[in-house]
Amino acid sequence: MQAIFKDISEFIKKQFPEQKFIPLHAPVFIGNERKYVMDTLDSTFVSSVGAYVDRFEEMMCEITGSSYAVAIVNGTNALHLALLLADVNRNDEVLSQSLTFIATCNAISYIDAKPVFIDVDKDTLGLSPDALSKYLNQNAKIEADGFAYNIKTDRRIKACVPMHTFGFPCRIEEIAQICNNWNITLVEDAAESLGSYYEGKHTGLFGNIGVFSFNGNKTITSGGGGALITNNESLAKKAKHLTTQAKVPHPWAFTHDNIGYNYRMPNLNAALACAQLEQLAKFVDNKRELATLYHDKFKSLGINFCVELPGTRANYWLNAILLNDKTEREDFLTYMNSNGVMSRPVWELMHRLPMFENCERADLSNSEWIADRLVNIPSSVRL
Ligand SMILES: *Cc1c(COP(=O)(O)O)cnc(C)c1O
């Protein structure tokens, strides 16, 4: 195995020459970033109001094909807001994945709603429609009010939050159909999948609301930032209102008509986001080229490299391989990280964390199988 690991690390180093330690995902600023950020300083509009915020929202609509986009301070808060807009309340259940980044479950927990963990598909790494359907058929019923309730807990099953893992679109159309049948609101955690499409439609547009992140390690970054997209005008207006402390618009008076949040994205960050969005298509092409190189290499080595589902176009945010077992995974991680190539296992599964270990859950054997075997390898845009 050591000889193969050496071969892989040398191959990765060849893709990222002249780097001492190759990170998993580093941002790249080669466009109008400096110009736009300096603009905000010159204008003094660095905070929550400014032309770049509006432009960022317009660009998000153009890129995703969404009717509305709302800039938000980060992806986690965008998810929190999306769940509030989905009218998720205390003790409601929210169906999601155990194989996800902690932010998905934290957002559910901010409302004191209850995550329920459903398995993922091995080929998409995202929520499995078969597992979702099976769970609902065995554990839920539609009551007289027309809504879905968990038979065991009596709680309302209010929303479903699938996540497009590492930018690979999951079987989102099937999931949307199931949610529709059960009258469950669909919120997509598309934080990792900006620039990823399912059957030509951008991720985040299959349910009521889609959420994105522009954190420093994502495909493009605003330093810190998030966004929400929706085709529903009243949800978009409500989102804007709630992110602005629920302030009633008025030239001078300060009145608020709800408990609101300070969840706006500052203009300073939006300036960076605009410059980065201009390069999104180029970055995704660049990342897909790297994925092709990886694919060929790992194929020649007989190692399983994760690829997009037919009919989808992934942004290949983070490239991933699946090793034979946990021991091989540990050996791989040890070798790569001590030889200048950053490599990482997938997040600890949510149902194994102390905060979520007592949550309702379905069979999670695919999630557990993946967690033992998957590693992410360097995936930055190459200059
Ligand atoms: C990055 C990420 C988020 C939110 O991230 P922020 O760092 O708060 O912008 C949410 N969900 C997933 C799956 C993510 O990867």
Side-chain angles (χ1 to χ4, degrees):
M1 232 32 214
Q2 292 291 312
I4 291 182
F5 289 172
K6 184 158 184 280
D7 183 7
I8 296 171
S9 80
E10 275 165 11
F11 180 81
I12 295 175
K13 284 176 183 166
K14 216 168 75 192
Q15 312 312 317
F16 297 93
E18 290 158 42
Q19 286 188 40
K20 242 197 160 127
F21 184 81
I22 302 164
L24 217 52
H25 206 283
V28 166
F29 303 117
I30 48 169
N32 287 317
E33 288 86 357
R34 280 161 195 81
K35 180 173 180 291
Y36 293 173
V37 169
M38 287 310 290
D39 267 359
T40 68
L41 299 183
D42 292 340
S43 73
T44 76
F45 281 89
V46 292
S47 202
S48 309
V49 179
Y52 283 108
V53 175
D54 299 335
R55 186 149 147 200
F56 168 69
E57 291 175 345
E58 282 161 22
M59 288 181 81
M60 280 300 289
C61 288
E62 273 166 35
I63 286 166
T64 62
S66 175
S67 306
Y68 306 93
V70 178
I72 295 170
V73 70
N74 61 51
T76 308
N77 289 349
L79 271 170
H80 178 210
L81 188 73
L83 293 168
L84 291 171
L85 293 171
D87 195 33
V88 173
N89 291 300
R90 183 164 187 271
N91 284 330
D92 283 342
E93 290 184 355
V94 179
L95 309 175
S96 191
Q97 308 173 193
S98 182
L99 187 119
T100 186
F101 177 55
I102 188 81
T104 319
C105 291
N106 278 341
I108 296 167
S109 304
Y110 296 162
I111 308 179
D112 212 4
K114 309 296 174 198
V116 176
F117 301 118
I118 311 289
D119 212 1
V120 295
D121 281 328
K122 276 185 184 173
D123 54 357
T124 67
L125 311 173
L127 193 69
S128 162
D130 290 342
L132 177 65
S133 193
K134 190 172 164 202
Y135 180 83
L136 286 165
N137 287 330
Q138 291 177 352
N139 297 282
K141 66 162 189 266
I142 303 269
E143 301 248 13
D145 60 4
F147 293 117
Y149 287 81
N150 186 319
I151 295 166
K152 194 168 113 198
T153 62
D154 270 338
R155 292 182 184 126
R156 167 100 181 259
I157 302 173
K158 185 63 83 55
C160 176
V161 186
M163 198 274 279
H164 300 288
T165 309
F166 307 140
F168 294 113
C170 63
R171 291 186 168 80
I172 192 63
E173 210 150 61
E174 283 176 64
I175 292 168
Q177 191 57 54
I178 295 164
C179 289
N180 201 39
N181 293 344
W182 284 88
N183 212 352
I184 293 169
T185 304
L186 175 57
V187 172
E188 286 174 75
D189 185 345
E192 305 179 354
S193 65
L194 185 67
S196 298
Y197 296 79
Y198 182 98
E199 305 280 358
K201 186 164 155 182
H202 201 285
T203 51
L205 284 178
F206 290 80
N208 302 50
I209 305 166
V211 166
F212 297 93
S213 165
F214 300 90
N215 190 40
N217 64 344
K218 296 296 201 295
T219 300
I220 64 154
T221 184
S222 58
L228 169 164
I229 59 171
T230 179
N231 284 324
N232 181 315
E233 185 183 8
S234 82
L235 285 184
K237 280 193 172 147
K238 208 169 158 193
K240 201 76 193 166
H241 188 57
L242 288 177
T243 56
T244 327
Q245 305 277 26
K247 184 182 180 295
V248 179
H250 189 278
W252 57 82
F254 265 90
T255 313
H256 310 262
D257 60 6
N258 211 318
I259 298 211
Y261 301 86
N262 183 10
Y263 277 2
R264 289 169 301 178
M265 177 190 280
N267 201 40
L268 191 61
N269 298 89
L272 192 54
C274 288
Q276 289 261 287
L277 276 180
E278 290 174 353
Q279 301 163 89
L280 177 67
K282 193 169 77 189
F283 283 9
V284 171
D285 286 347
N286 188 300
K287 290 166 73 61
R288 289 176 61 84
E289 272 166 36
L290 175 63
T292 304
L293 294 174
Y294 274 147
H295 190 190
D296 295 346
K297 179 69 185 174
F298 285 111
K299 197 168 174 188
S300 76
L301 296 172
I303 293 173
N304 189 348
F305 176 73
C306 298
V307 293
E308 65 200 1
L309 198 68
T312 71
R313 189 177 199 271
N315 64 8
Y316 285 88
W317 170 51
L318 284 188
N319 290 292
I321 56 173
L322 289 160
L323 295 164
N324 284 319
D325 54 36
K326 202 168 172 175
T327 315
E328 196 177 294
R329 184 198 74 174
E330 286 310 297
D331 292 346
F332 183 93
L333 290 170
T334 306
Y335 186 92
M336 293 302 152
N337 286 295
S338 49
N339 280 281
V341 175
M342 189 171 169
S343 181
R344 208 178 57 186
V346 75
W347 317 279
E348 181 63 275
L349 296 174
M350 295 300 110
H351 72 283
R352 290 174 175 162
L353 299 177
M355 310 79 80
F356 303 117
E357 65 188 0
N358 295 320
C359 292
E360 290 290 308
R361 61 182 196 241
D363 173 73
L364 298 172
S365 26
N366 285 351
S367 306
E368 287 171 353
W369 187 91
I370 292 164
D372 280 349
R373 290 162 178 80
L374 189 141
V375 294
N376 290 120
I377 51 177
S379 305
S380 308
V381 168
R382 292 163 307 144
L383 296 173

